[in-house]
Amino acid sequence: MEQKLLKITHSYDVEQSEIVTFPSFEDAIDAMFRSAYPGIHIRSFKDFAKEYEAREKIERADDFKAHKIVQDILSSEIRDVQRLYLHLARGNSSVLLDKKVSKSICRFFFRRTKSKYITISNNSGKHEKFIINALDDINLYANELKNALNIRILS
């Protein structure tokens, strides 16, 4: 599907403008920025998107590993560990039961923080904060995770 973009010249004269067809949205964005700033070297939108995606995968690796650790801990309490869903948000990630935000088991805060920590929901529905030095430290809070899961299953 081709994207159409209204290209306006630097003089902002609408009569000099024209409709230009591009093969993709990314190409249209690239052309728009290159025409607006002709003397400046601008990375292409595609390259930027690839770099962002690669950086995001590296930064999210800890979230996926922590999710696997939580699944291993809770596998004795729940038959189908696939019910434990990893929800990725901007600053943190959560382990949810049955993909329901109201049934949050724990949250991981590994990005944009000085120290890594995990919060585990308690009886009142609030989250208790536990600082961890390494991902394996999550195993130290196995009982709290199991209690949180049992509370969420009953609710």
Side-chain angles (χ1 to χ4, degrees):
M1 181 171 120
E2 292 185 342
Q3 302 289 326
K4 290 187 177 180
L5 177 74
L6 179 64
K7 182 179 179 183
I8 300 176
T9 61
H10 289 291
S11 64
Y12 300 99
D13 186 0
V14 178
E15 294 177 6
Q16 293 180 0
S17 302
E18 57 187 83
I19 298 292
V20 181
T21 304
F22 295 93
S24 70
F25 180 74
E26 291 86 4
D27 292 333
I29 295 293
D30 282 345
M32 182 178 69
F33 281 117
R34 290 180 197 284
S35 67
Y37 306 102
I40 300 173
H41 174 70
I42 300 173
R43 292 186 307 171
S44 72
F45 184 79
K46 289 179 183 178
D47 291 341
F48 177 77
K50 286 178 187 177
E51 288 174 18
Y52 179 80
E53 187 176 309
R55 188 173 56 240
E56 189 74 12
K57 284 181 182 179
I58 291 168
E59 290 178 356
R60 290 296 187 176
D62 284 346
D63 295 322
F64 291 110
K65 290 175 186 174
H67 178 248
K68 178 66 176 146
I69 292 169
V70 170
Q71 280 185 330
D72 292 342
I73 291 170
L74 299 179
S75 62
S76 63
E77 301 291 318
I78 188 170
R79 289 182 186 174
D80 184 15
V81 292
Q82 298 304 317
R83 289 178 64 191
L84 300 173
Y85 172 74
L86 179 65
H87 173 74
L88 301 172
R90 286 188 94 177
N92 64 34
S93 58
S94 305
V95 176
L96 307 176
L97 181 64
D98 299 328
K99 294 186 180 181
K100 295 182 180 177
V101 177
S102 62
K103 294 192 174 188
S104 172
I105 308 296
C106 64
R107 291 185 186 136
F108 308 123
F109 294 86
F110 299 152
R111 302 172 64 190
R112 301 184 188 125
T113 59
K114 292 180 182 178
S115 60
K116 294 181 181 185
Y117 64 94
I118 180 174
T119 62
I120 301 173
S121 61
N122 57 20
N123 296 343
S124 63
K126 295 184 179 181
H127 285 258
E128 293 181 54
K129 181 178 176 180
F130 302 98
I131 295 175
I132 58 173
N133 297 320
L135 292 179
D136 291 334
D137 291 350
I138 295 172
N139 290 313
L140 300 173
Y141 307 106
N143 290 333
E144 289 86 351
L145 287 166
K146 290 176 183 179
N147 290 338
L149 176 66
N150 290 328
I151 290 167
R152 295 299 175 225
I153 288 175
L154 296 176
S155 63

